[in-house]
Structure formats: structure tokens, C-alpha cells
Amino acid sequence: MSRDPTERGLEIEQAQLRGFARTVAEVEWLLLILVVLYLFIANPALARSAGVLAVLLGFAAFVLLFRYARPFAKHIHFKLTLEVFAMLAFLTAVLVASGGVRSPLVNLYLLPIVTVALALGKRAAALVGALVCACYPLVGLLSDGAESLTPEFGSAAVGVLAPFVLVAFCTTLLVENINMAKTRIRALSDRDELTSLYNMRAFARFAEQEHDVASRIARAYSILMIDIEHLKTINDTYGHEAGSRAVKLVAEALVRLTRSTDIVARYGGDEFIVLLGGVDKEIADEVAQRIRNVVFATTLEVDVKMVRIKVNVGAASFPDSGNNLQAVMAAADRSMHKDKDLREPPKGKLVIQKR
């Protein structure tokens, strides 16, 4: 099981694309309605011609097919690409029939450009922009003939198409900034502010995934619960800043002592929780002992004193300690408190050394 945060980002991106794909159908209907209204108001006779009616009905059938039959539902990028190409072809055919590049409908080329910039990114937007730039002289050629492609036509084309390119560029920049902000927000929503470890919301998600996989393929996983001894006394004696540094020191030690595939999270206050994927109880106990030893070897420097930090660690494993995630976590918590009762010195006592 991959626990890379980017995997979650990809899943969210796919969900956003599916939502956007539904919106594209509404954009297509809007495009069709605008074209129909313009044709029936500006040139009713043209709107009733067989060629134009065929183009309108063909595009309407395409929209209905992609809206309700949903072909390529599992290939969203491909589906969106086809729909954008269909919009371009539809607009080009309508422009050829309704006055060529002089038609005000030419501004509707902005719709596929903005659509692809929002949904598919910078490269796709550049490609669609290039296609629009190619469609513009094609419309002039088909509607007015080759003699219309003069230097004056080229100058006019630059004036018309330059805003389209600018809109595509600005839209892609805006989308990139929004996506970067969303990535940061997602990362922050999964992380503890003090230690940068996962918070319990993220831990619960990863742990449920691990449990589902372990249940299907009959493999073990382990949970460690870790508690810092006498953190309240450190806070009361040396201040909350010293207590925060103690929490961060333990967090750093946990990250060093676990694999990159393990999940280390702050449970809350002075407690941490670790998910060891594919690890049985015997190995989990070894990891727990290493954590005790390494943390005890770590000292917190406060003024001229060195405060020795100690932790209590409890380990439990699936399926030996329980047949569901909650049972394994509860067993690890009980094991941690048992370890605390065995190791805890007289109440409030800290190990302090002078430098």
C-alpha cells in the first residue's frame, strides 16, 4: 500500500475532474443555446437551412451522448479532450455557415480555451490555443476563399487572436496558483502544527487502508503508542517552550527510528502513535525498545541543565491483539500504560544533569 501524500492528491484531482466533466456538459449546452439564439435572431433563414440544422442537431446529439451514455467514463482526460475538440469543430462549422471570421460568434472560441485551461492545464491550453489560431484562417478560407487570406487578414487575425492567447495564459497561471494553494492546504490539514507529523485524521485514514489490506491478504501490522513521561512537570518547571522542544525531540527520534513507509502521528498532547505496516508483535517490541533507548539518550538543554527525556511505549499487533483497528489501538494503549506503571519513578521526578 502506498502512503505517499501525492496519492491522495491524485485521487482528489480525479474527483475534481469528474465534477468538472459534468460541468463541461453545461458549458456545451450554453454554447449550443447561444449559437441557436444568435442564428434565429440574426438570420432565421440560415438557421433553418439543412446544413446548419444538421450541425446543430449533431452537436446536440453529441452532448446528450456524453452526458447520459457517458462513454469513456473511466478515461476522464480523454473524454474532456474529445468534448473540447467537438466544441472547436462545432464552432468552426457554424462560423463557416454564418459569416466567417466577421461573425460575432468567433468570440465563443474562448469557451473551449478557458475550459481546457481549467481542466487539463497549461500544455493542453497551449494546444487548444494553437488549434484556435489554425481554425481562424480555416474559417476565412472556407467562407471567403483563398483570396481573402491577405496581409490585412493576418493583421486582423492577430488583433482577434491575441486576447484569446492572453486569456489562456492568465487562466492557466490562475489555475496553477489555485492548485498550489490547495496542495498546501491539504498538506497542512494532514499535519500537526508543532511537530509536522501526521495528525490523527490523516493517521486514521492510512491505518484503515492498512487494516483493509492486511485483512484481505492475511498479513500483520503493528501499532505503537508512545507517551512522554512528566511533560507537564517540564512545562511547569521550565516553561511551555521547553515542553514544546521536548515534544519535537521525541517526534524527530520517532521519524529517525521508523521506515519511510511507516506512519508516525501525534496522538495529542504528550502522546504519539506509530503504524508499522507488515510488522508482527516481535519486531514491534524491538522497535519499541529502540525508541525507549534512543529517546533516553536524547537530552533537552534548558539553561545550564540537561533534562533527560523518557518515554513509555506500548505495542500491539493485528491479528494477535484484535481483529479490528480499534481493538489493536486499544491494546497498544493498554500496553503503554502497563509500561508506564512498570517504569515510572516517583511522581514528578525528572532526571536532570548539569553540563
Side-chain angles (χ1 to χ4, degrees):
M1 179 190 69
S2 172
R3 301 185 183 90
D4 191 337
T6 57
E7 181 181 343
R8 185 189 176 211
L10 290 174
E11 292 174 356
I12 294 173
E13 181 185 350
Q14 288 296 313
Q16 291 173 337
L17 276 177
R18 285 191 291 270
F20 197 86
R22 291 189 292 269
T23 304
V24 168
E26 299 176 4
V27 173
E28 292 169 327
W29 282 121
L30 174 63
L31 175 61
L32 182 61
I33 291 170
L34 289 174
V35 169
V36 169
L37 287 175
Y38 173 78
L39 291 177
F40 274 91
I41 293 173
N43 196 337
L46 177 64
R48 296 187 184 94
S49 69
V52 172
L53 282 175
V55 171
L56 295 176
L57 292 174
F59 186 67
F62 175 85
V63 176
L64 287 171
L65 173 67
F66 272 67
R67 177 65 179 88
Y68 296 107
R70 295 188 294 179
F72 313 111
K74 295 182 179 180
H75 306 280
I76 302 174
H77 282 86
F78 185 67
K79 177 179 180 292
L80 287 173
T81 301
L82 282 181
E83 291 183 289
V84 169
F85 283 157
M87 292 168 69
L88 288 174
F90 170 67
L91 276 172
T92 301
V94 168
L95 286 172
V96 170
S98 64
V101 294
R102 293 179 297 278
S103 172
L105 293 177
V106 74
N107 293 314
L108 292 179
Y109 273 130
L110 281 170
L111 280 176
I113 290 176
V114 172
T115 298
V116 78
L118 291 172
L120 301 178
K122 185 182 294 184
R123 293 182 179 178
L127 174 60
V128 172
L131 288 174
V132 169
C133 292
C135 287
Y136 189 85
L138 178 63
V139 170
L141 176 65
L142 295 176
S143 59
D144 300 323
E147 63 275 8
S148 65
L149 303 181
T150 62
E152 290 76 14
F153 177 90
S155 299
V158 171
V160 172
L161 297 174
F164 292 1
V165 175
L166 182 62
V167 167
F169 179 72
C170 292
T171 304
T172 53
L173 284 183
L174 177 62
V175 170
E176 286 182 354
N177 289 334
I178 291 173
N179 288 337
M180 287 177 60
K182 289 194 294 186
T183 300
R184 290 171 184 164
I185 290 170
R186 283 197 296 267
L188 289 173
S189 69
D190 280 349
R191 297 286 176 173
D192 172 65
E193 184 177 357
L194 176 62
T195 63
S196 297
L197 299 178
Y198 285 113
N199 57 30
M200 281 306 297
R201 179 173 56 250
F203 179 88
R205 183 175 67 252
F206 292 130
E208 288 290 352
Q209 292 174 3
E210 175 64 34
H211 179 78
D212 291 343
V213 172
S215 299
R216 287 199 304 270
I217 66 176
R219 82 175 181 194
Y221 68 84
S222 295
I223 297 288
L224 302 181
M225 294 285 289
I226 300 100
D227 168 79
I228 304 176
E229 285 190 358
H230 306 304
L231 182 63
K232 184 178 184 302
T233 304
I234 293 175
N235 286 329
D236 293 342
T237 306
Y238 303 108
H240 287 279
E241 192 275 334
S244 295
R245 284 198 287 127
V247 170
K248 287 193 282 188
L249 284 173
V250 174
E252 291 166 1
L254 292 176
V255 172
R256 290 197 310 271
L257 293 168
T258 53
R259 304 166 298 180
S260 60
T261 55
D262 297 328
I263 301 299
V264 183
R266 189 178 181 193
Y267 194 81
D270 59 356
E271 292 186 344
F272 301 86
I273 188 168
V274 179
L275 170 65
L276 304 173
V279 168
D280 60 20
K281 183 64 161 57
E282 182 179 356
I283 298 176
D285 287 337
E286 293 177 3
V287 175
Q289 188 57 48
R290 285 202 302 269
I291 290 172
R292 295 186 192 98
N293 295 340
V294 170
V295 171
F296 188 72
T298 303
T299 53
L300 174 68
E301 183 177 346
V302 184
D303 296 329
V304 295
K305 298 176 181 177
M306 304 294 288
V307 178
R308 188 75 68 178
I309 302 173
K310 295 178 67 177
V311 293
N312 307 295
V313 187
S317 300
F318 171 84
D320 298 339
S321 304
N323 58 6
N324 59 63
L325 176 62
Q326 289 69 31
V328 177
M329 291 175 61
D333 187 64
R334 290 193 299 271
S335 177
M336 180 191 71
H337 283 88
K338 183 178 179 181
D339 186 55
K340 185 175 183 179
D341 293 339
L342 291 173
R343 298 172 182 276
E344 189 172 67
K347 187 174 181 180
K349 183 178 179 181
L350 291 174
V351 179
I352 302 173
Q353 299 173 336
K354 288 188 177 181
R355 287 195 298 177

